[in-house]
Amino acid sequence: MALKMVKGSIDRMFDKNLQDLVRGIRNHKEDEAKYISQCIDEIKQELKQDNIAVKANAVCKLTYLQMLGYDISWAAFNIIEVMSASKFTFKRIGYLAASQSFHEGTDVIMLTTNQIRKDLSSPSQYDTGVALTGLSCFVTPDLARDLANDIMTLMSHTKPYIRKKAVLIMYKVFLKYPESLRPAFPRLKEKLEDPDPGVQSAAVNVICELARRNPKNYLSLAPLFFKLMTSSTNNWVLIKIIKLFGALTPLEPRLGKKLIEPLTNLIHSTSAMSLLYECVNTVIAVLISLSSGMPNHSASIQLCVQKLRILIEDSDQNLKYLGLLAMSKILKTHPKSVQSHKDLILQCLDDKDESIRLRALDLLYGMVSKKNLMEIVKKLMTHVDKAEGTTYRDELLTKIIDICSQSNYQYITNFEWYISILVELTRLEGTRHGHLIAAQMLDVAIRVKAIRKFAVSQMSALLDSAHLLASSTQRNGICEVLYAAAWICGEFSEHLQEPHHTLEAMLRPKVTTLPGHIQAVYVQNVVKLYANILQQKEQAGEAEGAQAVTQLMVDRLPQFVQSADLEVQERASCILQLVKHIQKLQAKDVPVAEEVSTLFAGELNPVAPKAQKKVPVPEGLDLDAWINEPLSDSESEDERPRAVFHEEEQRRPKHRPSEADEEELARRREARKQEQANNPFYIKSSPSPQKRYQDAPGVEHIPVVQIDLSVPLKVPGLPMSDQYVKLEEERRHRQKLEKDKRRKKRKEKEKKGKRRHSSLPTESDEDIAPAQQVDIVTEEMPENALPSDEDDKDPNDPYRALDIDLDKPLADSEKLPIQKHRNAETSKSPEKDVPVVEKKSKKPKKKEKKHKEKERDKEKKKQKEKKAEDLD
Amino acid sequence: MQFMLLFSRQGKLRLQKWYVPLSDKEKKKITRELVQTVLARKPKMCSFLEWRDLKIVYKRYASLYFCCAIEDQDNELITLEIIHRYVELLDKYFGSVCELDIIFNFEKAYFILDEFLLGGEVQETSKKNVLKAIEQADLLQEPWMHSVLRE
């Protein structure tokens, strides 16, 4: 026996301890994985030993390995064993390992409950301390519920060390077990006035965090905190309190008013940047929530802005960043105060640090006005040139477009300038926002009639340029612009100076390298151009010219017919046939231009996105009446799985007989529904067609929601195309009259902008701001639609669960579950009765039982261990 | 604070402390991404960045990056202070601390952190008190060999 002991201890002497492990790993850099798996085997051996010190050593090494990324969840039970060691050293290691690796999914975490409870009531404060620290990392709802009472009592412990920890851990407990908040709260409040500053600041911390999430419950504490704020000199505490006030002020405007003074004092007096920053932030929050009628607020805002300016001017990058961040908050509500610092912000755009530049960009967004837009964009363009090949450039591009297209182009006074900016942007290579630019061009060209001529001339220049075609392989690349260019040239071809030239440019062989959707647009617009040219030639009587053009088309279209893209092929082949037909007609000298032009008669106007829904049902139209005879074999056809043609399958069941024989209808409907339910490929239609079923006479057995069908259809202000055009014209006229006066003043300022010389004579038309989109303001929704606010809240959000009213007195049912002391030696049955009486709901009862069983097991094990040790 | 990571210039993790419950896989993923992002920053850039929906505050001391993740409303400057305070504590404890100290005595680094922060909040603002608590706890620890031989 003795020999075995000696041998055992000698073996143990050769165990690696942590230092050896680390050194070993560092030495084995090449075969680290192998070495580590070796070590893990050794550790497993060590864990099988009875010696607690050896186990602790092993667990310590495991913790290190866990940090390196290795999974140690298999050792969870061993960790708990080490946690239960009586010596502080080992206990500490056990808890550390637990806090690193335990999480809610660890099954054995239940076993820790009793151990932790023992440690919490241990005479040594360090045992308690280490238990509390460890627990805070892996507390689960069960643990929280079971231990809440113990921790609460610890809040009134004699040692401030313990009190402090207990207070802080209560926050975690609250998050996991919200029912503990109400019983614990009075004690927490007491701690705010604890003599020990550490405990006090801990209490402040916890209440601040709680109050931030659910401020209305903590308003009653405001006076107490106010007192603390004015009396405390500890910056850390002050910052927390000020943050808390920031959260409370939106609810209590009087509080805000009272706060402004002490906060401004603090701002003036403090030298700590962090405190200053927090104060400024809170002042902003306060002022945002207060009504803007108060006169002295502008002084406070000015003060804030001043201080922020100092921050931004500081050479420390961090301060700059924060200054800009805070400025953007002020910008939302007081844009005027910020605008005077525009120069500073533009300077920040030149900063080397990308994050600062991005912040400055954000600020710019709110600072543009009609006057400075051009200046700012000019500056941004120079940046765009400098920032080659970075994501920053893409950012810039999107920002430029955002800024310019803000609120329906509110700030653009000169659209020619804008189009030229867009064209310049196309010179950027390697950007992924080609479609943005394209969209903008289209938008402007369509909406602003007056600019069309200029736009068209620019676009035809673009179509000529070779470099755009070169980048055609990139998705969403700059070549997207050609999409817009082609469409604009085609649609507004009457403005083209040299349509023939443009036509040739669009039919070049290189065009076939462009992406399919762009080619499709090309093909379509080539025809529009062609129509236009034909018109011109015939009017001028140049029959030969007309035939030459047709021949050109016949020559070049076949290259599109061979395209791999389906759309292009289709369009090209249709058009080719058409052109060939025209050729034949032309050979017979028949004037065809008129007819060809009628292909493209009528103007396309932008339509509001909700227009389709808002179309009113004309009088006398009954949407529920059957239109056609139903197809008798519709059911069998539906069964064929044709995944591609879902729409058609869906439509067939809707075919209805013109005669509404009620029984037959009902029967057919049932059969159809049955069949639809069985068909796996049938896409269930949206509720609306079912609503129509509902309204058909006498069908009550169909369990569909009773919704009035006619809801989305009654509407003011319809965006039907014709009326839009009329409104546009009216508005333009009005604006023109207004702007005539202003234009004269602004002519000088506009010379700064980037405009081509050729565009000068056309200025008169363009100062008309584009018309507002005739969009319907009210959003029609079906009657039973709930407002969508409640969807945003996550039902599992722990903070929401903490939204508890604290002022009501504590009911009996809300007391924390207390573990009664039980004797392990007495028989088990009376214990079962005792918890039954106490518990309120079934679940904790079951868990209690399970938990008690586990405790018993553990106790037995421990007793066995102790016995084993005694024997040795 | 949601979590704190310490890693070297080569991207090796030296310390990780998580104050929110996350699964191992998520932790690894976050660590990997964050290490990459922070290491990619140039020296002159500011210490704050936005990542997912959190704010990241980081500072480099010699060859170690101290990186903390805080929530949107938290004050970044105070987090920088927290990082600095922690480094001061380590310095005081180890006496002119270097990365090797943290590598070999990582459990002590954890203990110090646990005395300073609990649940993501500052536990004790006085440097002196934190150090005193650690020293006293150390006294309770016995040297390894004794305990091994005694059992």
Side-chain angles (χ1 to χ4, degrees):
Chain A
M1 189 58 99
L3 189 61
K4 200 171 161 196
M5 237 173 74
V6 172
K7 198 164 159 230
S9 45
I10 291 181
D11 273 342
R12 295 286 75 77
M13 295 248 277
F14 291 120
D15 276 345
K16 292 198 190 67
N17 68 1
L18 179 66
Q19 308 251 343
D20 300 327
L21 176 69
V22 177
R23 241 178 257 130
I25 293 179
R26 284 164 77 86
N27 290 336
H28 285 250
K29 283 207 177 85
E30 319 79 52
D31 56 347
E32 200 177 291
K34 195 163 134 237
Y35 180 72
I36 288 183
S37 57
Q38 206 183 340
C39 290
I40 292 186
D41 287 331
E42 284 169 18
I43 291 175
K44 285 193 178 147
Q45 287 300 327
E46 285 171 30
L47 284 174
K48 291 202 185 102
Q49 307 293 324
D50 287 334
N51 189 328
I52 195 77
V54 173
K55 283 204 225 229
N57 187 26
V59 165
C60 194
K61 287 192 273 182
L62 273 180
T63 319
Y64 186 75
L65 289 176
Q66 191 257 359
M67 193 170 69
L68 292 179
Y70 293 85
D71 176 41
I72 64 168
S73 47
W74 49 269
F77 189 70
N78 295 308
I79 294 177
I80 298 186
E81 281 183 329
V82 176
M83 265 161 73
S84 60
S86 46
K87 296 214 169 44
F88 177 67
T89 322
F90 309 137
K91 200 188 280 286
R92 213 183 195 188
I93 294 176
Y95 272 104
L96 177 66
S99 61
Q100 294 294 99
S101 60
F102 283 6
H103 53 89
E104 297 217 13
T106 309
D107 337 326
V108 293
I109 218 171
M110 287 279 260
L111 299 174
T112 61
T113 322
N114 209 35
Q115 180 54 48
I116 296 180
R117 187 172 294 129
K118 273 177 64 179
D119 285 327
L120 289 181
S121 44
S122 150
S124 154
Q125 63 170 343
Y126 294 102
D127 278 351
T128 319
V130 84
L132 283 171
T133 315
L135 179 64
S136 72
C137 294
F138 59 81
V139 62
T140 64
D142 293 326
L143 277 175
R145 191 192 58 232
D146 294 332
L147 296 169
N149 200 43
D150 299 274
I151 302 179
M152 232 174 65
T153 38
L154 280 179
M155 279 211 281
S156 322
H157 199 270
T158 45
K159 297 233 164 61
Y161 178 76
I162 303 289
R163 285 208 297 272
K164 197 171 56 179
K165 291 198 190 244
V167 165
L168 281 174
I169 205 181
M170 280 311 280
Y171 181 60
K172 288 278 163 177
V173 169
F174 292 152
L175 282 180
K176 294 287 174 184
Y177 180 55
E179 291 85 349
S180 57
L181 179 56
R182 285 192 37 135
F185 195 68
R187 248 189 235 193
L188 196 55
K189 249 191 342 186
E190 281 171 37
K191 294 300 138 206
L192 277 178
E193 284 150 7
D194 193 287
D196 181 271
V199 181
Q200 200 183 42
S201 62
V204 168
N205 264 347
V206 172
I207 297 190
C208 283
E209 286 303 310
L210 286 171
R212 232 169 6 125
R213 314 285 173 175
N214 298 299
K216 62 185 192 307
N217 303 326
Y218 301 90
L219 269 180
S220 50
L221 291 173
L224 184 57
F225 278 113
F226 200 80
K227 199 177 74 175
L228 274 174
M229 184 171 93
T230 42
S231 56
S232 168
T233 50
N234 185 337
N235 278 353
W236 305 77
V237 172
L238 273 178
I239 289 182
K240 276 281 173 176
I241 297 182
I242 292 176
K243 194 157 58 157
L244 168 67
F245 278 129
L248 285 179
T249 37
L251 304 166
E252 179 66 59
R254 289 174 302 165
L255 182 61
K257 280 186 223 156
K258 275 186 78 178
L259 271 179
I260 297 265
E261 222 203 276
L263 282 179
T264 26
N265 283 341
L266 270 173
I267 293 181
H268 278 298
S269 57
T270 185
S271 55
M273 278 296 153
S274 43
L275 188 55
L276 176 68
Y277 179 61
E278 192 68 42
C279 288
V280 169
N281 259 342
T282 310
V283 170
I284 295 172
V286 165
L287 292 171
I288 288 175
S289 62
L290 287 178
S291 63
S292 51
M294 307 280 304
N296 52 353
H297 288 338
S298 57
S300 323
I301 288 273
Q302 285 305 323
L303 175 64
C304 285
V305 173
Q306 225 181 348
K307 289 285 173 186
L308 284 178
R309 197 191 167 100
I310 298 179
L311 274 182
I312 298 181
E313 282 169 344
D314 198 299
S315 55
D316 185 359
Q317 301 287 78
N318 297 332
L319 294 176
K320 263 198 208 158
Y321 183 84
L322 291 174
L324 288 170
L325 200 58
M327 277 275 209
S328 45
K329 284 191 204 143
I330 296 187
L331 188 72
K332 291 190 195 117
T333 47
H334 296 87
K336 296 252 164 52
S337 350
V338 181
Q339 269 177 7
S340 47
H341 299 284
K342 195 178 51 170
D343 53 329
L344 183 60
I345 302 197
L346 285 175
Q347 235 181 349
C348 284
L349 272 181
D350 291 325
D351 201 285
K352 294 190 213 85
D353 185 347
E354 204 174 290
S355 340
I356 291 189
R357 278 184 295 191
L358 285 172
R359 285 273 147 250
L361 265 183
D362 278 337
L363 264 179
L364 272 184
Y365 187 81
M367 282 181 23
V368 291
S369 70
K370 284 194 186 147
K371 288 185 214 148
N372 57 22
L373 178 68
M374 291 203 200
E375 224 186 280
I376 291 181
V377 175
K378 188 159 96 171
K379 192 123 203 262
L380 288 177
M381 294 295 281
T382 45
H383 276 282
V384 164
D385 285 330
K386 275 193 281 176
E388 280 284 329
T390 55
T391 49
Y392 178 55
R393 191 155 71 157
D394 275 349
E395 268 292 315
L396 269 178
L397 201 142
T398 32
K399 260 297 170 290
I400 292 178
I401 293 188
D402 271 342
I403 292 179
C404 291
S405 61
Q406 245 184 7
S407 358
N408 259 332
Y409 307 100
Q410 190 185 353
Y411 299 115
I412 298 191
T413 49
N414 188 338
F415 277 93
E416 272 186 21
W417 165 81
Y418 186 48
I419 298 238
S420 38
I421 293 273
L422 288 174
V423 168
E424 276 203 23
L425 283 175
T426 61
R427 299 222 193 94
L428 291 175
E429 293 180 2
T431 177
R432 279 170 294 126
H433 295 291
H435 64 282
L436 262 181
I437 304 181
Q440 285 293 293
M441 285 180 178
L442 281 175
D443 216 20
V444 172
I446 296 174
R447 293 237 203 119
V448 189
K449 277 194 181 146
I451 197 64
R452 285 177 190 169
K453 186 156 182 200
F454 178 69
V456 161
S457 56
Q458 293 292 314
M459 295 302 123
S460 55
L462 268 182
L463 284 174
D464 267 340
S465 54
H467 77 275
L468 287 178
L469 289 177
S471 68
S472 57
T473 43
Q474 224 188 6
R475 282 204 91 206
N476 257 346
I478 262 310
C479 56
E480 292 283 332
V481 179
L482 290 175
Y483 179 103
W487 196 89
I488 292 176
C489 285
E491 186 70 11
F492 307 121
S493 47
E494 60 266 20
H495 297 292
L496 269 176
Q497 306 278 18
E498 294 180 35
H500 198 94
H501 178 78
T502 314
L503 184 65
E504 291 208 8
M506 282 171 82
L507 288 172
R508 269 184 295 183
K510 234 190 155 194
V511 172
T512 48
T513 55
L514 286 173
H517 60 285
I518 299 185
Q519 281 187 52
V521 170
Y522 262 62
V523 169
Q524 194 73 7
N525 287 287
V526 155
V527 189
K528 292 183 197 167
L529 265 181
Y530 174 62
N532 191 292
I533 295 177
L534 267 188
Q535 188 96 2
Q536 282 179 2
K537 299 272 187 220
E538 284 200 4
Q539 278 173 356
E542 295 171 27
E544 278 186 20
Q547 285 185 349
V549 170
T550 315
Q551 187 56 40
L552 176 67
M553 295 282 281
V554 171
D555 286 335
R556 300 284 183 87
L557 278 174
Q559 68 190 343
F560 290 107
V561 174
Q562 292 161 9
S563 161
D565 186 277
L566 210 58
E567 179 83 14
V568 178
Q569 240 187 57
E570 275 197 47
R571 292 194 191 204
S573 27
C574 283
I575 288 172
L576 189 57
Q577 291 308 314
L578 178 67
V579 172
K580 283 192 180 152
H581 185 72
I582 294 178
Q583 207 174 35
K584 284 189 211 141
L585 285 175
Q586 275 183 340
K588 299 184 208 154
D589 276 336
V590 176
V592 286
E594 277 299 315
E595 287 168 6
V596 176
S597 324
T598 50
L599 276 176
F600 303 110
E603 211 176 271
L604 293 172
N605 277 317
V607 178
K610 302 202 179 85
Q612 182 60 50
K613 277 197 241 165
K614 312 258 167 121
V615 174
V617 183
E619 296 295 322
L621 171 65
D622 181 10
L623 284 172
D624 305 325
W626 297 103
I627 301 172
N628 292 325
E629 292 281 337
L631 301 173
S632 52
D633 54 341
S634 59
E635 293 155 13
S636 57
E637 276 177 310
D638 285 338
E639 269 157 2
R640 255 181 284 141
R642 285 190 288 158
V644 183
F645 301 109
H646 280 166
E647 324 290 359
E648 276 139 53
E649 278 190 11
Q650 209 176 357
R651 272 186 233 128
R652 276 208 205 96
K654 290 192 199 157
H655 287 176
R656 300 160 187 162
S658 44
E659 295 155 273
D661 185 33
E662 199 183 297
E663 280 169 30
E664 247 221 292
L665 270 181
R667 189 186 43 81
R668 280 188 195 152
R669 211 168 284 134
E670 274 306 299
R672 240 191 317 270
K673 275 201 181 241
Q674 202 56 35
E675 181 283 316
Q676 282 167 19
N678 293 337
N679 181 1
F681 292 102
Y682 183 75
I683 298 178
K684 304 273 179 279
S685 47
S686 56
S688 35
Q690 283 178 356
K691 285 186 229 167
R692 286 181 202 150
Y693 274 143
Q694 185 66 7
D695 278 331
V699 189
E700 269 136 351
H701 57 280
I702 299 179
V704 179
V705 177
Q706 301 270 9
I707 298 178
D708 183 15
L709 175 61
S710 57
V711 162
L713 306 175
K714 295 190 198 121
V715 151
L718 316 166
M720 307 279 293
S721 306
D722 297 329
Q723 293 188 334
Y724 177 68
V725 175
K726 284 185 205 140
L727 280 165
E728 261 275 70
E729 246 127 65
E730 281 176 34
R731 189 178 291 112
R732 292 255 180 85
H733 188 66
R734 262 182 278 136
Q735 279 181 346
K736 197 172 176 191
L737 291 173
E738 279 178 287
K739 292 227 175 185
D740 269 339
K741 297 167 203 162
R742 271 192 265 162
R743 220 196 322 137
K744 282 169 195 158
K745 278 188 226 160
R746 240 189 274 132
K747 256 195 185 176
E748 302 96 73
K749 287 196 184 166
E750 277 169 10
K751 302 287 183 191
K752 273 193 278 179
K754 293 174 169 291
R755 294 188 299 127
R756 309 270 178 267
H757 294 299
S758 59
S759 66
L760 282 169
T762 59
E763 208 196 337
S764 52
D765 294 321
E766 297 138 35
D767 293 355
I768 303 164
Q772 294 300 318
Q773 175 103 354
V774 181
D775 206 357
I776 311 306
V777 175
T778 55
E779 273 195 0
E780 299 279 356
M781 299 263 263
E783 268 170 21
N784 287 357
L786 295 164
S788 58
D789 284 339
E790 293 165 9
D791 297 337
D792 294 338
K793 305 215 174 120
D794 176 16
N796 291 333
D797 186 10
Y799 300 117
R800 231 180 126 208
L802 282 174
D803 193 1
I804 303 171
D805 182 11
L806 291 161
D807 293 328
K808 293 194 301 210
L810 208 55
D812 265 337
S813 62
E814 283 173 325
K815 294 231 169 67
L816 290 169
I818 301 176
Q819 294 287 333
K820 285 257 197 291
H821 177 72
R822 60 176 189 82
N823 297 321
E825 287 81 40
T826 55
S827 65
K828 310 299 175 206
S829 39
E831 292 157 32
K832 283 194 190 145
D833 294 331
V834 167
V836 163
V837 168
E838 280 190 347
K839 292 302 180 233
K840 285 87 208 160
S841 57
K842 282 195 182 154
K843 258 195 196 165
K845 214 201 307 182
K846 280 192 199 143
K847 288 222 163 159
E848 267 283 284
K849 282 194 196 154
K850 220 202 318 177
H851 165 67
K852 283 211 185 300
E853 280 177 25
K854 282 207 175 155
E855 277 183 32
R856 268 178 251 134
D857 288 344
K858 217 182 142 214
E859 279 272 357
K860 280 189 187 153
K861 232 191 204 170
K862 274 194 154 181
Q863 284 173 358
K864 273 192 201 151
E865 263 190 30
K866 276 198 194 136
K867 283 184 195 153
E869 281 181 37
D870 291 338
L871 280 177
D872 279 354
Chain B
M1 196 189 299
Q2 300 218 343
F3 57 86
M4 182 192 260
L5 302 173
L6 258 75
F7 48 90
S8 69
R9 294 253 303 150
Q10 286 78 32
K12 284 216 151 102
L13 199 58
R14 299 291 174 211
L15 201 143
Q16 53 171 342
K17 191 77 190 181
W18 299 80
Y19 294 109
V20 284
L22 287 171
S23 72
D24 265 346
K25 221 169 47 162
E26 281 174 29
K27 284 186 192 170
K28 280 209 194 105
K29 190 164 148 222
I30 292 180
T31 312
R32 222 180 19 230
E33 275 183 38
L34 208 51
V35 168
Q36 262 180 349
T37 318
V38 172
L39 285 177
R41 307 266 291 178
K42 296 200 223 56
K44 286 290 185 175
M45 295 179 94
C46 68
S47 296
F48 316 122
L49 58 108
E50 263 152 55
W51 183 78
R52 295 200 190 170
D53 56 340
L54 296 170
K55 292 203 252 206
I56 308 287
V57 180
Y58 73 93
K59 198 144 185 253
R60 185 174 153 210
Y61 286 88
S63 57
L64 266 184
Y65 281 90
F66 286 70
C67 177
C68 294
I70 55 177
E71 285 153 10
D72 233 1
Q73 303 95 335
D74 285 336
N75 186 335
E76 295 94 331
L77 289 174
I78 204 77
T79 316
L80 271 181
E81 281 293 312
I82 291 179
I83 295 179
H84 191 70
R85 180 57 68 88
Y86 182 50
V87 172
E88 282 176 0
L89 284 169
L90 286 174
D91 198 38
K92 248 325 184 19
Y93 182 77
F94 287 110
S96 181
V97 65
C98 64
E99 195 182 338
L100 275 179
D101 284 327
I102 302 190
I103 295 175
F104 278 104
N105 299 300
F106 82 105
E107 83 273 15
K108 298 225 176 68
Y110 274 112
F111 295 148
I112 297 178
L113 187 60
D114 282 337
E115 287 299 321
F116 177 46
L117 297 173
L118 198 143
E121 302 294 327
V122 173
Q123 215 186 122
E124 179 61 61
T125 51
S126 152
K127 232 181 349 185
K128 217 168 49 164
N129 284 351
V130 177
L131 288 170
K132 202 164 67 168
I134 304 223
E135 277 165 19
Q136 291 193 344
D138 275 347
L139 287 176
L140 286 179
Q141 284 203 241
E142 296 165 31
W144 279 110
M145 277 317 201
H146 281 186
S147 30
V148 167
L149 286 174
R150 198 174 314 152
E151 296 292 333

